[in-house]
Amino acid sequence: MKPWNVEICDVTLRDGEQTPGVSFSCEEKVDIARTLDAIGIEVIEAGFPAVSPHEKQCVKTIANLGLDARICGFSRARKPDIETAIDCDVDMVSIFIPTSELHVRLKFKKPREQVLEDALKMIDFARDHGVQVRFAAEDASRTDLPFLKEVYRRAAEHGAVLLSFADTVGCLIPTEMQRIMTDLVASVDRPFCAHCHNDMGCAVANTLTAAEAGAFQLHTTVNGIGERSGNASLEEVLVALRMKAGIERYDLTQLTALSHKVEKYSGITLPRNKPVTGELAFSHESGIHIAAILEDPSTYEYFPPGMVGGERHFILGKHTGKKALEHVVASLGCELTDKQICRVLDLVKDQSEHKCSITPEILRGLIRQAKEFPA
């Protein structure tokens, strides 16, 4: 398998922090940035410096950590924004403008052609000050394709090194992303970025589809946090790149710890069944499944928990089988006869029918009950 030609730009510290109610401290941002860098993420979007003096200081701090990752600052197509970002010592400034008729009409109240011309001057301004420019089209997915191509073509002519396609309201499905990104990549000689939101649950799928269609820089957030329903999940994208695209350069063993760290810092609780890093991602209750896993884990796990720093758990409940129970009982250091195992199994199923979780403490109690019966 020939690995895809992609890199990751993680935007947890900017778009992820735009999750309603989320605000990272500078220390938390530094901690997240260091971990992203240790995983091997190529670009970290450290924040939106013009938001506040505190935000500017955080971005500047991260830019001066000496990380291997390139540090990007987010900016409107306004000179003060760009000057603030440049003053943070970032490697790249991401300059964005809205391009859809709806956004331009409501935000600027002037022709979109004029909005573009003004933005091109800002690309020139940033480049004159020695920073790379990533040019982003906000609401690109709802922009008519001929004008969008013109936007990207002109931005490339003015020296933008990356062209970012934002599915700002998450309105695309993968077949649409495939068609649009294929067309864009063929029309402009610059690397494209895919920035996907998750409003219809397609952010990860759209990001991977964009990569397959030729997009180079893939935007993610840890745990998929972000505005409204969030962005493409870093951990899900990285696992898919490992399993489907032959990309092995990222240290995935740190993903679960990073996921839980961002869960704590953001206050956004992970769904228990969150792919890759959720509590139930490698948990099994079905007796048929567990019996097979005890023989060969790949029967019901496409990738092993250790690959992402996770752990396998066997959950006892109404679907538990005898082999699974024997395994769990042995792991507790208990020895039971065959009859006692069968008795415990009956008790486990009865308890779980009443929506009672079988914790290790409860299981030990059931074992004690079973031992009261003749062996």
Side-chain angles (χ1 to χ4, degrees):
M1 179 191 301
K2 183 179 179 181
W4 292 355
N5 180 33
V6 297
E7 69 175 13
I8 299 293
C9 173
D10 189 83
V11 300
T12 303
L13 303 183
R14 196 275 302 173
D15 216 341
E17 197 183 35
Q18 289 176 205
T19 306
V22 171
S23 178
F24 298 125
S25 70
C26 197
E27 292 75 18
E28 289 168 345
K29 284 196 170 193
V30 166
D31 190 16
I32 294 168
R34 288 190 187 279
T35 308
L36 290 169
D37 188 59
I39 289 171
I41 301 307
E42 290 89 353
V43 182
I44 297 171
E45 191 166 283
F48 194 160
V51 164
S52 70
H54 176 264
E55 178 78 351
K56 177 183 177 182
Q57 184 57 48
C58 289
V59 174
K60 191 177 185 72
T61 298
I62 292 169
N64 286 285
L65 289 176
L67 304 179
D68 291 330
R70 309 195 306 281
I71 306 303
C72 178
F74 198 63
S75 171
R76 293 168 294 185
R78 297 180 180 180
K79 190 175 291 187
D81 279 23
I82 297 168
E83 289 174 329
T84 302
I86 291 171
D87 193 45
C88 292
D89 305 321
V90 295
D91 301 297
M92 176 187 298
V93 175
S94 181
I95 299 175
F96 77 95
I97 61 166
T99 54
S100 68
E101 287 279 8
L102 173 62
H103 276 233
V104 172
R105 184 177 74 251
L106 292 178
K107 294 179 179 181
F108 288 94
K109 297 178 173 59
K110 59 183 176 182
R112 60 185 185 179
E113 290 78 11
Q114 184 59 54
V115 173
L116 174 58
E117 291 299 328
D118 294 343
L120 295 175
K121 294 175 184 176
M122 294 301 97
I123 296 177
D124 295 337
F125 175 78
R127 290 187 66 241
D128 288 344
H129 284 75
V131 294
Q132 291 187 332
V133 174
R134 181 179 71 202
F135 187 75
E138 184 186 18
D139 208 25
S141 51
R142 293 191 294 179
T143 303
D144 62 278
L145 207 50
F147 180 67
L148 188 61
K149 288 180 183 179
E150 176 68 8
V151 167
Y152 288 137
R153 184 184 65 79
R154 297 289 305 284
E157 289 175 351
H158 281 255
V161 297
L162 290 161
L163 306 173
S164 188
F165 176 92
D167 184 16
T168 300
V169 295
C171 65
L172 297 183
I173 59 175
T175 50
E176 294 171 312
M177 176 62 84
Q178 176 76 33
R179 174 179 54 80
I180 295 170
M181 187 58 68
T182 299
D183 197 353
L184 290 175
V185 168
S187 68
V188 185
D189 184 22
R190 277 291 189 283
F192 272 85
C193 314
H195 182 98
C196 300
H197 282 262
N198 202 39
D199 298 70
M200 296 199 299
C202 294
V204 170
N206 282 339
T207 298
L208 296 170
T209 299
E212 196 171 29
F216 171 65
Q217 189 179 91
L218 312 181
H219 294 188
T220 63
T221 61
V222 180
N223 297 340
I225 63 174
E227 295 175 341
R228 305 180 311 281
S229 299
N231 295 48
S233 159
L234 171 70
E235 49 280 3
E236 294 170 35
V237 169
L238 288 187
V239 168
L241 292 178
R242 168 73 63 87
M243 302 303 295
K244 294 296 185 181
I247 295 177
E248 300 185 355
R249 65 180 179 268
Y250 301 109
D251 181 4
L252 305 189
T253 63
Q254 300 191 55
L255 287 178
T256 297
L258 174 61
S259 174
H260 293 167
K261 183 182 295 184
V262 171
E263 178 183 32
K264 175 184 175 182
Y265 292 165
S266 67
I268 304 297
T269 304
L270 286 180
R272 295 181 69 208
N273 63 343
K274 166 77 168 65
V276 182
T277 60
E279 176 189 347
L280 300 180
F282 301 99
S283 295
H284 308 272
E285 179 182 324
S286 167
I288 294 172
H289 288 204
I290 293 175
I293 285 172
L294 290 172
E295 294 292 327
D296 184 346
S298 67
T299 50
Y300 287 101
E301 290 175 349
Y302 182 50
F303 54 94
M307 188 180 90
V308 296
E311 295 181 354
R312 181 181 300 116
H313 300 283
F314 293 148
I315 308 298
L316 299 181
K318 66 182 288 186
H319 304 100
T320 296
K322 186 178 177 182
K323 284 189 176 181
L325 181 60
E326 288 173 338
H327 177 83
V328 174
V329 168
S331 72
L332 294 177
C334 299
E335 293 184 8
L336 297 177
T337 66
D338 188 68
K339 285 185 179 179
Q340 289 170 336
I341 283 287
C342 290
R343 175 61 180 161
V344 172
L345 186 59
D346 288 340
L347 292 171
V348 165
K349 289 179 180 288
D350 181 67
Q351 289 267 10
S352 63
E353 289 283 2
H354 295 88
K355 300 186 184 296
C356 175
S357 299
I358 310 299
T359 65
E361 292 73 24
I362 289 176
L363 179 58
R364 286 190 175 93
L366 299 181
I367 291 171
R368 286 193 293 271
Q369 288 184 47
K371 285 184 173 180
E372 294 174 0
F373 286 78

